[in-house]
């Protein structure tokens, strides 16, 4: 009986009228693939969202899609949860753990709203790291002053990026190329600038460079993903091009009515 009520609740929440969402006519990069309009393509997964949204993020089998006042959570292409959001999203993070940035606060599934007006944030096992125009914080604690623009993390380090990167937990200042637009952290540090993609050591030593006009940077731990001319480009961790056939995309289908999400 309880399971039936949960399914019914998910179906009602997913089918409730939604506010207008900004249209997305351009290709959006996610881990392992792209979002074009309302269609998600990532490896063997092809999934149709209720409507286009610029706020989509993926972490392995978990896919998040955020709309004004609603967060959808998918597992292996099937809808698992629909949670109300207390506002309009401004950014979305699927990793290390799910987090939504709103206009005046953060929302963390399972924790609720946090009163932090953040430019970027990460939810990790240590807590919520976030930045504003003045510094880097862990929860309410100021860790470092500075004008940081974005965050990236691995299991070992958290980096806050400005003119240089501030690395935790050892408080190391790491030199960077100018104008970092995106970054991911593996054993090495990868940063995207207007010139191309740099591969750096954890301390900032240049290990490699791939020139080009790229947009966005994601990783699944095995490959790097970026957009070049609006098309997905898959790279090895040494920045060489991956030469392999992509698997045939398969549409995820759930015979239950709750997947027929319609957003007017």
């Amino acid at each position: 009986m309880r399971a039936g009520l949960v399914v019914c609740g998910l179906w009602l929440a997913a089918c409730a009228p939604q506010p207008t969402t900004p249209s997305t006519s351009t290709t959006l990069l996610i881990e392992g693939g792209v979002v074009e309009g309302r269609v998600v393509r990532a490896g063997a997964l092809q999934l149709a969202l209720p409507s286009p949204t610029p706020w989509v993020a993926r972490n392995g089998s978990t896919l998040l899609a955020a709309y004004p006042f609603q967060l959808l959570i998918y597992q292996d292409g099937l809808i698992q949860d629909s949670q109300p959001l207390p506002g309009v999203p401004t950014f979305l993070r699927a990793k290390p753990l799910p987090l939504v940035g709103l206009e005046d606060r953060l929302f963390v599934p399972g924790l609720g709203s946090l009163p932090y007006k953040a430019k970027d944030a990460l939810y990790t096992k240590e807590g919520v790291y976030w930045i504003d125009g003045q510094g880097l914080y862990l929860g309410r604690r100021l860790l470092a002053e500075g004008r940081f623009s974005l965050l990236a993390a691995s299991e070992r380090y958290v980096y806050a990026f400005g003119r240089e990167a501030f690395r935790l937990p050892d408080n190391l200042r790491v030199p960077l190329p100018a104008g970092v637009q995106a970054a991911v952290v593996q054993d090495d540090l990868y940063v995207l600038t207007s010139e191309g993609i740099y591969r750096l050591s954890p301390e900032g030593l240049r290990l490699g460079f791939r020139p080009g006009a790229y947009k966005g940077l994601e990783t699944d731990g095995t490959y790097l993903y970026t957009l070049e001319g609006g098309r997905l480009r898959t790279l090895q961790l040494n920045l060489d091009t991956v030469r392999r056939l992509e698997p045939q995309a398969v549409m995820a289908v759930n015979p239950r009515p709750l997947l027929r999400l319609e957003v007017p």
Side-chain angles (χ1 to χ4, degrees):
M1 179 67 176
R2 180 175 298 176
L5 290 174
V6 170
V7 171
C8 182
L10 286 174
W11 183 82
L12 289 173
C15 296
Q18 301 299 317
T20 301
T21 304
S23 63
T24 53
S25 57
T26 59
T27 301
L28 174 68
L29 179 70
I30 59 172
E31 176 194 294
V34 297
V35 183
E36 296 172 321
R38 59 192 289 260
V39 177
V40 178
R41 295 186 178 90
L45 174 65
Q46 181 168 307
L47 169 69
L49 298 173
S51 69
T53 174
W55 304 295
V56 184
R58 183 182 183 221
N59 183 7
S61 62
T62 300
L63 183 84
L64 307 178
Y67 298 86
F69 307 103
Q70 185 182 33
L71 173 66
L72 301 182
I73 302 175
Y74 295 82
Q75 288 289 335
D76 296 315
L78 303 180
I79 185 71
Q80 294 296 312
D81 200 2
S82 174
Q83 298 190 12
L85 292 177
V88 177
T90 55
F91 63 86
L92 176 65
R93 291 284 201 167
K95 60 179 74 171
L97 297 168
L99 177 146
V100 186
L102 304 169
E103 294 171 319
D104 61 351
R105 69 191 74 183
L106 299 174
F107 177 81
V108 178
L111 293 181
S113 295
L114 301 174
Y116 309 142
K117 188 174 182 179
K119 295 170 58 178
D120 195 10
L122 295 174
Y123 180 28
T124 74
K125 61 184 180 181
E126 289 81 25
V128 176
Y129 292 91
W130 59 283
I131 54 175
D132 60 10
Q134 300 180 347
L136 166 66
Y137 306 81
L138 176 58
R140 297 184 180 276
R141 181 161 58 96
L142 177 64
L143 301 178
E145 295 182 349
R147 293 185 176 273
F148 302 109
S149 58
L150 62 99
L151 298 171
S154 64
E155 293 185 358
R156 184 178 181 186
Y157 296 120
V158 173
Y159 289 83
F161 294 88
R163 290 187 176 180
E164 60 183 2
F166 181 77
R167 191 178 78 183
L168 295 170
D170 53 2
N171 298 340
L172 182 69
R173 299 280 178 173
V174 177
L176 295 172
V180 173
Q181 302 170 359
V184 296
V185 188
Q186 292 296 308
D187 291 336
D188 295 325
L189 176 61
Y190 299 86
V191 297
L192 172 67
T193 73
S194 60
E195 299 175 337
I197 301 172
Y198 288 84
R199 178 187 176 193
L200 308 175
S201 74
E203 291 72 38
L205 178 66
R206 179 169 166 173
L207 302 177
F209 175 65
R210 184 182 181 92
Y214 301 109
K215 181 178 180 182
L217 191 61
E218 294 283 349
T219 186
D220 58 8
T222 301
Y223 298 108
L224 299 173
Y225 303 93
T226 187
L227 296 176
E228 184 178 25
R231 297 177 64 86
L232 179 67
R233 176 75 70 180
T234 303
L235 304 175
Q236 298 179 20
L237 296 183
N238 65 2
L239 300 183
D240 288 343
T241 301
V242 173
R243 300 189 180 279
R244 60 187 176 90
L245 293 176
E246 295 294 337
Q248 181 73 27
V250 179
M251 177 69 75
V253 176
N254 185 345
R256 296 178 297 176
L258 68 88
L259 267 185
R260 297 186 60 82
L261 304 181
E262 296 296 335
V263 177

